[in-house]
Amino acid sequence: MLVFFVIAIIFLALVYLHDIRQTHHTILRNFPVIGHVRYFAETWGEYMRQYQYLPDWAERPFNRMERSWVYRSAKGVSNLISFGSEAVPSFIFRNATFPILEEEQKSYPGKMIGITEGPGTCREPFMARSFFNISGMSYGALSHAAVTALSRGARLGEVYMSTGEGGLSSYHLDGGADIVMQIGTAKYGVRDVAGELSEERLRVVAAYPQVKMFEIKLAQGAKPGKGGILPGNKVTEEVAKIRGIPVGQPSISPNRHKDIGNLQELGVFIARVREITGKPVGVKFVLGDPGFLDEWFHDCAENPAHCPDFIQIDGGEGGTGAAPEPLADYVGLPITQALPYVSAMRYEHGLAGRIRIIASGKLVTPDKVAWALCMGADLVSSARGFMFSLGCIQAMKCGSGRCPTGVTAVEPRLIAGLDPADKAVRVARYAQKMREEVEIIAHSCGLSNASLFAPKHVTEIERGVAGFRAMSG
């Protein structure tokens, strides 16, 4: 005991001497030793609040209620609650007086993406079996173990997964899942040495039977108006080879496709990729200027050959990617405003049978997915929801490479803690539970399956004003 006491005194004395001599931190010079308490609280405060101080519904970007639902679903634990709800909803679903009986319930019919007749046809349309799927997350941003688990889980859960802008890796192919190949602004995975689209590499990727669709990414919710950012410490030799970039240097994509600067060029690029691959081609974007959408849909109606087979509308709420804080916080319409507008514009221009809408942006629980389907989305995709199913604890260390759960880590020691076989089952359970509980909402609304949701089935709650207002799309 005495030895321990002496060692502690010596340690504190050394810290004291260090603090009063250093010149970088005024607090430590003025308050040696005890000043470290302030920096500890600053560094670790968010984790202490997460588990000890904040109520279940107060956290951001995802509160504990949302994360816990995903965790329980992924682990196969019951999501039943007792003694009433703690939620404070902004909308409610309008349940039917006579809900659907079990024998009246029908299976989700799926959604066909791509057409086979007329201008803008593709040779291999894709039938999406699930209305809930995995949004774009690149290998490199995610560890190889995480991508492998997602691939295997997607196959088990009968959902598709997007590669993200980082290109197609062997880990995406590992599980045998249906894959959407995303073409980002840097065209990783399908670029030539000059960074332009390589038709040869595009054909190689399209030749994989698992690759069902191609998605041209104009923007994502984390950073609308700026390209992808992968820190240099995550650009390993393998990642560099897949992307076609130097090892160890930050992977920063252009803020837009250099060969797509207007609607005409976008249409030409869509038609070009569809002709080369023979598969459905879509566009991912964040809505900012509504005038763009009106003009684009008008052009699609006038020139069907340049029309995308689907659009993924991402909310401007931020996302999995590393991003400048002002872009993540203040640029791009949130999905709650963007999706109803996009759906209304599609209907107004007569494109409901031509373009599928995929919604994404913090849609990680059944209430939000069902809301999106009511607002006109044909499908919903999620990135962070599936990260939670892998074990993500919202440590906010994604870009550092030191993710404690191994999901976005680069250190082998941390990645080794994520077992792809175990996590694949959790990914599948999460997807299955999501579909099950969204269907429960549909049955409560008097619908035989979730494909029949419409705006009339959900109602916005006007806080501070008596009454309700039906939401419209």
Side-chain angles (χ1 to χ4, degrees):
M1 190 68 179
L2 180 61
V3 173
F4 176 79
F5 181 76
V6 171
I7 293 174
I9 291 296
I10 293 173
F11 174 76
L12 291 174
L14 292 174
V15 172
Y16 177 88
L17 291 173
H18 168 270
D19 290 349
I20 62 174
R21 291 178 178 179
Q22 60 82 36
T23 58
H24 298 293
H25 302 287
T26 303
I27 288 179
L28 293 183
R29 293 192 76 188
N30 293 340
F31 302 95
V33 182
I34 62 172
H36 286 279
V37 175
R38 184 261 181 187
Y39 293 104
F40 175 85
E42 181 181 45
T43 303
W44 294 94
E46 62 181 291
Y47 309 114
M48 297 169 68
R49 290 191 298 271
Q50 180 175 0
Y51 296 106
Q52 299 180 38
Y53 306 129
L54 288 178
D56 288 347
W57 57 86
E59 246 186 307
R60 294 290 186 272
F62 293 90
N63 64 50
R64 197 178 303 123
M65 291 175 65
E66 293 168 322
R67 298 199 317 273
S68 293
W69 186 89
V70 179
Y71 295 149
R72 291 194 301 268
S73 298
K75 293 176 182 177
V77 177
S78 173
N79 274 318
L80 298 177
I81 63 171
S82 302
F83 214 67
S85 172
E86 292 186 79
V88 184
S90 58
F91 58 85
I92 56 96
F93 296 95
R94 309 177 76 170
N95 60 292
T97 305
F98 306 104
I100 293 294
L101 296 171
E102 283 193 25
E103 56 266 31
E104 298 173 324
Q105 297 169 12
K106 297 181 180 179
S107 299
Y108 178 74
K111 289 285 185 178
M112 181 66 74
I113 304 176
I115 60 172
T116 56
E117 295 182 0
T121 59
C122 57
R123 297 186 292 275
E124 300 178 46
F126 172 55
M127 173 62 77
R129 294 173 290 174
S130 170
F131 56 75
F132 186 62
N133 300 280
I134 303 175
S135 193
M137 291 180 283
S138 303
Y139 169 57
L142 267 59
S143 68
H144 65 83
V147 176
T148 299
L150 287 172
S151 175
R152 296 177 184 178
R155 175 63 182 268
L156 289 173
E158 298 185 324
V159 303
Y160 70 70
M161 68 179 298
S162 171
T163 62
E165 66 175 312
L168 180 67
S169 72
S170 60
Y171 308 109
H172 290 106
L173 298 168
D174 180 276
D178 292 336
I179 292 172
V180 177
M181 171 65 185
Q182 189 178 99
I183 303 175
T185 58
K187 300 178 176 61
Y188 294 135
V190 291
R191 58 186 272 161
D192 58 23
V193 292
E196 303 296 332
L197 181 68
S198 166
E199 294 191 1
E200 180 182 355
R201 297 200 67 177
L202 191 60
R203 288 190 181 92
V204 170
V205 173
Y208 286 100
Q210 287 175 240
V211 176
K212 303 298 184 181
M213 301 194 295
F214 287 80
E215 179 180 77
I216 302 162
K217 193 186 87 168
L218 300 184
Q220 68 182 90
K223 41 187 175 287
K226 187 171 180 62
I229 304 171
L230 188 67
N233 66 320
K234 287 193 168 190
V235 183
T236 63
E237 185 174 342
E238 186 178 26
V239 169
K241 182 178 180 181
I242 292 170
R243 297 194 178 202
I245 56 176
V247 178
Q249 296 184 18
S251 175
I252 302 177
S253 306
N255 64 329
R256 72 167 175 83
H257 290 269
K258 295 180 179 180
D259 47 355
I260 304 177
N262 53 55
L263 288 177
Q264 177 63 26
E265 291 176 350
L266 174 60
V268 169
F269 194 87
I270 291 169
R272 180 186 178 194
V273 173
R274 186 162 49 214
E275 175 60 30
I276 293 170
T277 66
K279 298 180 179 182
V281 177
V283 178
K284 180 176 182 178
F285 66 101
V286 178
L287 184 62
D289 176 18
F292 147 77
L293 193 67
D294 191 25
E295 185 181 352
W296 185 24
F297 280 4
H298 177 76
D299 182 68
C300 288
E302 293 291 318
N303 191 357
H306 288 180
C307 186
D309 298 294
F310 67 93
I311 56 174
Q312 178 163 334
I313 175 68
D314 199 8
E317 297 91 340
T320 57
E325 188 172 350
L327 291 184
D329 289 346
Y330 300 110
V331 179
L333 289 178
I335 194 66
T336 51
Q337 294 184 33
L339 176 58
Y341 187 85
V342 171
S343 180
M345 282 291 99
R346 179 180 66 165
Y347 178 80
E348 182 176 317
H349 287 279
L351 296 170
R354 177 67 180 91
I355 300 176
R356 299 300 187 191
I357 295 176
I358 305 171
S360 60
K362 298 184 72 174
L363 307 174
V364 304
T365 51
D367 56 304
K368 294 180 176 62
V369 171
W371 170 87
L373 296 176
C374 286
M375 290 296 98
D378 296 290
L379 307 170
V380 174
S381 67
S382 174
R384 286 174 288 182
F386 281 98
M387 288 176 69
F388 288 140
S389 75
L390 290 173
C392 166
I393 61 171
Q394 196 169 278
M396 314 295 278
K397 298 295 182 184
C398 304
S400 71
R402 297 188 297 275
C403 167
T405 62
V407 177
T408 64
V410 294
E411 296 181 21
R413 176 182 63 86
L414 296 173
I415 297 174
L418 195 160
D419 178 16
D422 173 75
K423 300 304 183 185
V425 175
R426 297 193 182 194
V427 167
R429 282 198 195 116
Y430 171 52
Q432 291 161 354
K433 192 65 173 178
M434 177 66 79
R435 293 196 296 264
E436 176 186 323
E437 296 206 2
V438 171
E439 292 286 8
I440 287 175
I441 296 174
H443 302 154
S444 178
C445 291
L447 306 174
S448 61
N449 68 78
S451 69
L452 301 175
F453 272 125
K456 67 181 180 180
H457 296 118
V458 67
T459 296
E460 182 180 3
I461 299 176
E462 296 183 351
R463 296 295 172 194
V465 181
F468 302 98
R469 180 164 62 89
M471 303 179 77
S472 60

